[in-house]
Amino acid sequence: MSTNLEEQAANMMIMMCCASCGTAEDDDIKLKTCTACKSVRYCSVKCQKEHRSQHKRACKKRAAELHDEILFKQPKSSHEGDCPICCLPISLDKTKSTMMTCCSKIICEGCEYSYHLRISEEKLESTCPFCRHPAPESEEEEINNVMKRVKANDPVAMLQLGLQRHEAGDYDGTFRYVMKAAELGDAGAHYHLSCLFGEGKGVENDRKKEVYHLEQAAIGGHPIARYNIGIEEEENGRMDRANKHWIIAAALGHDGSLDAVKDSFRGGLVTKEDFAAALRAHQAAVEATKSPQREAAEEARKE
């Protein structure tokens, strides 16, 4: 206990003085924190450069630790988020939700089905289940709706437009819109950017940028991105890191990641306790996406 307190006190003292010359911070001297490790401060660029050779190794080590703290933190939900109407998590299955072009809201199939059932029974005007904007009557109107949202800096609409450009073979346009959506923090956009950099479509192949955007997507709750990082770690022989990624993705409801954890368990690379915990977390994530309305919608879709 006393050792920890002493370490904390020592760290506080380090942060109060320039790591190079020892100058203390006051009203006239403002210290700037090392942006990489955030564990030391400097009074000037000159001091930072002079101290670089002494600090480089510790800085790199601490920066890697900080990066992993963020990377391996369990997201509260997947990048899909919750349905804005029923407030239940959106399924990872893209066929079970719809993006409304008028407001860019992702609506679950249960709410959409229930709403359109009511419209049919009461003979009401067809509108968006969320914002009540009149439903588009043509593909051209849908595109116009998306463009309005793009002009309003809506990242979901930008990603949608980028994917449309991708289907049309316009990879330059794809990159332009997907990059802007990623800059606005869309995890799905980061994932698609990683694919573009990996395939070299619309942009030069760049392995470093591919990994960066893959990690940003994973941090944002994108389970496929995290699963892919796990595969990369497996190929590099770092199974401990691979299994961490798969366990996190499995807890978001990703089936492929759960299968990967299962294989690691069979191979003796994951403990029985960790596998059981991953199994429970996966089941809880899947169950959270279910509701009577969604089940009714799925049955109607099969008919």
Side-chain angles (χ1 to χ4, degrees), residues 67-118:
H67 176 265
D68 280 357
E69 285 177 14
I70 297 171
L71 182 60
F72 289 109
K73 185 178 180 180
Q74 178 71 52
K76 293 181 179 180
S77 64
S78 81
H79 69 295
E80 298 289 355
D82 298 339
C83 171
I85 297 176
C86 65
C87 297
L88 294 177
I90 295 287
S91 172
L92 297 180
D93 185 345
K94 292 287 188 180
T95 66
K96 295 184 177 181
S97 60
T98 304
M99 190 199 92
M100 300 293 113
T101 59
C102 49
C103 57
S104 296
K105 297 299 183 183
I106 310 296
I107 308 297
C108 75
E109 64 175 347
C111 290
E112 186 182 20
Y113 173 72
S114 299
Y115 183 68
H116 286 300
L117 197 63
R118 175 172 169 258

